[in-house]
Amino acid sequence: MANKRDRIESLAKGLRVLEAFGAERPRLSVSEAAAIAGLDRAGARRCLLTLHDLGYADYDGKYFSPTPRVLRLGLGALAALPLPQLVQPWLDQLSERIGQSTSVSILDETEIVYLARAAQRRLMSVGLMPGSRLPAHCTSMGRVLLASLPEAEATALVERSDLSPRTPRSLTAPADIMARVREARRLGYALIDQEVETGLRAIAVPLHSVHGRVVAALNTGFAAGEREAETLVPLYLPELLRVQDGLRRVLR
C-alpha cells in the first residue's frame, strides 16, 4: 500500500464523490454529495466542478449527474480483466443449452458486480449487463461468494449491508441470511426464490481457479412457476456444475 506521502488526497476525494452517485441517486446537489462522500461542502463542490469540467458530470445549476463518459472508467477496468474473456464463450454455450440467461459475477464488499452475461430473455425489471451491481446478501451469486469467505468476514459484510426488503420474500435478519450462506457452503450451490425480485428464481455455483480458490460465481435465472423452486435444481444444477468443472482447468 502507498504511504501517506504517496497518497493523492484530492484524487481520493474525487473518487468518493463519483461513487456517491448510484441507481437511487442519479442526481446530487453539492450538499448531498458532500454528505454521502463525507466531505465538507467546499471540497465536494470543487470535485463536482472538476468532474463537470472533464466531461464526467452534467450540471444544471443545482444538480450534478454523471455522463456516459464515466463508463470508460468501469468498462476499461473490466476489459483489463482476463476473467470476462475466459468465461463468455462458456456462458454463451450454457445459455443456449438450457434456454436461460447466465451470468458471472465477483464480490465487491456488500455487492456483486456482473462481469459477463449471456441473455436469453429479460426476467428482471432492470437490465443487467457487465458492470451492473446487486446486493450480495439476497442474490444466488452473492450467497455462494459470501459462503467462500471465512464465517466472521461473511457475517461482517452481511451486517454492513442494506437489508431493506426488495420483495415480500426477502430475508432481512442477518442470522437468517447467514443460515442460507452456510447452507450454500454445505451444498456447494445457492438457490433463491423471488428474494431479489418477484417472479425471479436463480441458482448459482462458485467458480474455482486451478488452485482451488473461489474467484467468481456463475448463475442462471428463471421465471417462477407453479412448481417448487427445489424441483428445478436437478434441471439446472448439473449444467452449472459442468461449466464449473470446465472452467476450473483454465481460471487462474
Side-chain angles (χ1 to χ4, degrees), residues 75-106:
L75 293 177
L78 285 173
L81 295 174
L83 185 58
Q85 287 75 31
L86 284 173
V87 302
Q88 190 63 56
W90 294 81
L91 286 185
D92 293 338
Q93 289 188 8
L94 174 60
S95 187
E96 285 297 321
R97 284 200 305 271
I98 65 177
Q100 304 288 356
S101 297
T102 57
S103 305
V104 165
S105 73
I106 57 173

Side-chain angles (χ1 to χ4, degrees), residues 23-46:
E24 298 177 355
R25 302 185 299 269
R27 300 167 69 243
L28 294 173
S29 66
V30 172
S31 298
E32 290 168 339
I36 296 168
L39 302 175
D40 59 54
R41 194 178 184 281
R45 180 177 179 274
R46 287 195 297 271

Side-chain angles (χ1 to χ4, degrees), residues 151-165:
E151 180 81 3
E153 186 176 347
T155 300
L157 285 176
V158 170
E159 291 178 344
R160 292 211 315 268
S161 301
D162 179 358
L163 303 182
S164 302

